[in-house]
């Protein structure tokens, strides 16, 4: 059985005190209300990673991650944060290539491939985000776009390294818009991604790959999405900013 992962990406939200309160609420609520098998990952802004890690690492099923990392190991890169720094603060996951980074910070596949290498070299699980824009979907080029994102981002890895990669399919048109992909649309893309991985790395690696869906996941649509055979969890934005809605999404995963 491949791992199910529900991750909350807090983006650039919350003060320190608010982030601590949200973490402790989620630790309590998930601890007392959730009996399922999913791993829960809280992904705060960098400056809170150390504190959030310390709170969640005492639990068995909650971990901490970061939203980005440098492609460099260390050096004169003012404002950057390395994968080793993230790891040393207690986090075990890092998002690579979120569409907001691709769109606003011009991150491209080949650069993201280097970031994935940096993450894996430091024993972090890389949550690699892929997804098409509305224009790409409407012009029916979304499978080509997804294929380039997957091949250019991941195909330099070995099958062994793929064990520490999670893919998050996040259609850009569904992020923060309230517009979720239908379960059928998401399942179709997840199966497409799994087939690409199988063709390159073999069936076992593909079967073990966790593929999350992201884009306006809410308590109301989570159970239906999670019932699809190739949807192994969620990367949640807006609904992860409140303990009640986030915990309810977690509880939708058996
Ligand atoms: P959303 O964000 O849930 O607010 O759509 C998802 C994401 O960007 O990871």
């Amino acid at each position: 059985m491949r791992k199910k992962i529900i991750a909350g990406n807090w983006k650039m939200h919350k003060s320190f005190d608010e982030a601590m309160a949200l973490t402790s609420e989620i630790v309590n609520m998930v601890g007392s209300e959730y009996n399922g098998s999913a791993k829960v990952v809280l992904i705060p802004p960098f400056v809170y990673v150390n504190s959030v890690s310390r709170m969640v690492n005492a639990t068995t099923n909650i971990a901490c991650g970061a939203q980005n990392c440098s492609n460099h190991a260390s050096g004169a890169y003012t404002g950057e944060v390395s994968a080793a720094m993230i790891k040393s603060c207690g986090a075990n996951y890092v998002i690579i290539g979120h569409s907001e980074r691709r769109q606003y910070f011009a991150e491209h596949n080949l650069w993201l491939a280097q970031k994935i290498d940096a993450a894996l070299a430091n024993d972090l699980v890389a949550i690699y985000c892929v997804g098409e824009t509305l224009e790409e979907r409407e012009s029916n080029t979304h499978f080509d776009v997804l294929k380039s994102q997957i091949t250019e981002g991941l195909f330099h890895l070995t099958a062994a390294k793929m064990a520490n990669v999670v893919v998050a399919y996040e259609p850009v048109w569904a992020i923060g818009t309230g517009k979720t992909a239908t379960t059928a649309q998401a399942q179709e893309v997840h199966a497409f991604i799994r087939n690409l991985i199988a063709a390159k790395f073999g069936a076992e690696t593909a079967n073990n790959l966790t593929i999350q869906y992201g884009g306006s996941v809410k308590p109301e649509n989570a159970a239906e999405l999670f019932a699809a055979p190739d949807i192994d969890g969620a990367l949640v934005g807006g609904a992860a900013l409140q303990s009640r809605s986030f915990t309810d999404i977690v509880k939708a995963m058996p």
Side-chain angles (χ1 to χ4, degrees):
M1 268 285 279
R2 54 184 168 257
K3 210 186 257 179
K4 311 290 186 185
I5 303 173
I6 315 294
N9 171 13
W10 298 356
K11 306 191 181 182
M12 200 171 73
H13 292 292
K14 307 253 177 222
S15 67
F16 179 74
D17 287 346
E18 290 165 348
M20 293 300 95
L22 178 60
T23 305
S24 93
E25 283 166 30
I26 291 171
V27 166
N28 290 333
M29 289 165 83
V30 169
S32 61
E33 299 176 27
Y34 185 57
N35 299 313
S37 62
K39 187 89 186 174
V40 176
V41 185
L42 307 186
I43 310 186
F46 282 134
V47 285
Y48 312 147
V49 163
N50 190 28
S51 304
V52 171
S53 293
R54 271 154 224 281
M55 290 172 77
V56 300
N57 287 351
T59 71
T60 53
N61 58 351
I62 311 180
C64 182
Q67 298 173 16
N68 178 31
C69 71
S70 175
N71 53 328
H72 299 288
S74 66
Y77 300 104
T78 301
E80 287 289 275
V81 174
S82 73
M85 291 169 184
I86 293 166
K87 184 73 184 184
S88 74
C89 287
N92 290 305
Y93 292 78
V94 62
I95 297 175
I96 307 280
H98 189 280
S99 66
E100 287 148 17
R101 301 230 40 107
R102 292 177 184 267
Q103 189 179 347
Y104 306 131
F105 302 94
E107 297 198 356
H108 51 82
N109 294 336
L110 296 177
W111 197 14
L112 297 172
Q114 295 175 8
K115 293 190 177 208
I116 290 170
D117 290 341
L120 299 182
N122 288 283
D123 221 5
L124 292 170
V125 173
I127 301 177
Y128 179 54
C129 298
V130 298
E132 80 284 0
T133 62
L134 185 60
E135 200 185 7
E136 288 158 349
R137 179 162 279 265
E138 286 179 343
S139 63
N140 212 30
T141 54
H142 52 299
F143 287 118
D144 297 333
V145 170
L146 290 159
K147 190 174 176 185
S148 317
Q149 291 171 338
I150 293 286
T151 56
E152 291 170 22
L154 299 178
F155 276 19
H156 66 292
L157 297 174
T158 60
K161 291 263 188 194
M162 282 297 294
N164 280 324
V165 172
V166 167
V167 172
Y169 169 55
E170 300 205 301
V172 179
W173 47 272
I175 295 178
T177 57
K179 211 172 159 185
T180 323
T182 65
T183 302
Q185 284 172 324
Q187 167 57 31
E188 181 187 35
V189 170
H190 284 227
F192 173 77
I193 292 170
R194 203 177 301 285
N195 284 336
L196 288 175
I197 297 297
K200 169 71 181 172
F201 298 103
E204 194 185 337
T205 300
N207 276 332
N208 288 333
L209 177 69
T210 300
I211 307 179
Q212 299 176 303
Y213 169 78
S216 300
V217 176
K218 326 177 243 277
E220 298 75 37
N221 57 27
E224 187 190 321
L225 286 161
F226 296 164
D230 287 293
I231 299 179
D232 308 313
L235 184 52
V236 186
L241 295 173
Q242 288 183 348
S243 53
R244 182 71 272 158
S245 51
F246 185 66
T247 304
D248 285 345
I249 291 169
V250 171
K251 287 165 73 178
M253 180 60 86

